[in-house]
Amino acid sequence: DAAMQARGDTSSRARARLDTLLSEYWRGTNPLKARELAARSIKLYRERYSDDPDLANALHNAGLIEGSLINMAGAEVFYRQALATMIRLKAHDAYLVQPMVMLAETQRLMLLAEPAEANFHEALAISKRVNGDSHVDTLQTQLRYGQYLRVVGRNRESLQVLTSAEKSAVQKL
């Protein structure tokens, strides 16, 4: 950071990437500083490097930061933008799973049941299709979807999803 500042680098792709990395670093201990760095990174990507896949990573990271600050509406916006960017840039479907699950989790916390369920369901379908039943992303998605179903009172469906995850995990062992 100091070397880039000394050179007056405020607009390179490396600057945008470094700001994202620094915001990830500060996310756990100084989320306000992390938010500032994330905003700077996103602004630079949008203005100069909108076709760089790292824009999606910066947006996803901003969602994590907003979630840590209990700003679920802000987190949801960033997760939606991250997914839209990944889709626009034709990212492999495997990369859509985790951000889609984070979006669903955020929507669950916001009591947006229908979009949360739709995103859990789609993330699970994608992960099973591209990763298989016993992949960690599939199992994690099933666990989170099963928890969601239990929270909304759909215990039988929750048990089916969680039992399926358990069977896949045991088979993998």
Side-chain angles (χ1 to χ4, degrees):
D1 187 35
M4 285 186 164
Q5 288 179 3
R7 287 194 325 246
D9 182 351
T10 59
S11 61
S12 71
R13 193 179 304 260
R15 173 84 260 171
R17 179 73 181 126
L18 180 60
D19 285 345
T20 299
L21 291 170
L22 288 170
S23 70
E24 290 172 359
Y25 173 81
W26 288 108
R27 187 173 65 223
T29 56
N30 190 341
L32 295 177
K33 183 173 186 170
R35 176 191 267 168
E36 178 184 320
L37 289 160
R40 191 167 73 188
S41 174
I42 291 167
K43 182 177 188 279
L44 188 51
Y45 277 121
R46 283 182 172 154
E47 289 176 354
R48 293 181 173 246
Y49 311 107
S50 62
D51 288 336
D52 190 318
D54 282 337
L55 170 58
N57 295 332
L59 291 163
H60 181 79
N61 180 56
L64 292 170
I65 293 165
E66 293 305 316
S68 75
L69 292 167
I70 319 300
N71 177 9
M72 295 305 143
E76 184 195 26
V77 168
F78 282 120
Y79 291 137
R80 283 182 182 280
Q81 291 174 358
L83 280 168
T85 300
M86 290 175 161
I87 291 166
R88 178 177 60 83
L89 297 177
K90 297 176 177 36
H92 189 278
D93 284 352
Y95 294 111
L96 302 177
V97 175
Q98 289 181 356
M100 195 173 289
V101 169
M102 291 304 298
L103 174 59
E105 288 280 355
T106 301
Q107 291 167 328
R108 177 185 64 83
L109 292 170
M110 295 173 67
L111 305 177
L112 301 172
E114 288 180 24
E117 182 164 357
N119 283 311
F120 276 125
H121 194 273
E122 186 174 358
L124 182 57
I126 291 170
S127 192
K128 282 184 172 193
R129 180 173 44 80
V130 299
N131 297 321
D133 288 343
S134 60
H135 189 274
V136 66
D137 285 344
T138 303
L139 296 172
Q140 280 282 352
T141 302
Q142 283 180 293
L143 292 174
R144 290 175 179 217
Y145 184 38
Q147 289 171 337
Y148 162 80
L149 291 169
R150 189 186 72 234
V151 166
V152 297
R154 293 163 54 191
N155 294 332
R156 283 194 180 129
E157 290 172 82
S158 172
L159 185 59
Q160 288 173 342
V161 170
L162 295 173
T163 300
S164 174
E166 178 185 33
K167 286 179 183 174
S168 294
V170 168
Q171 287 175 349
K172 183 71 172 179
L173 296 175

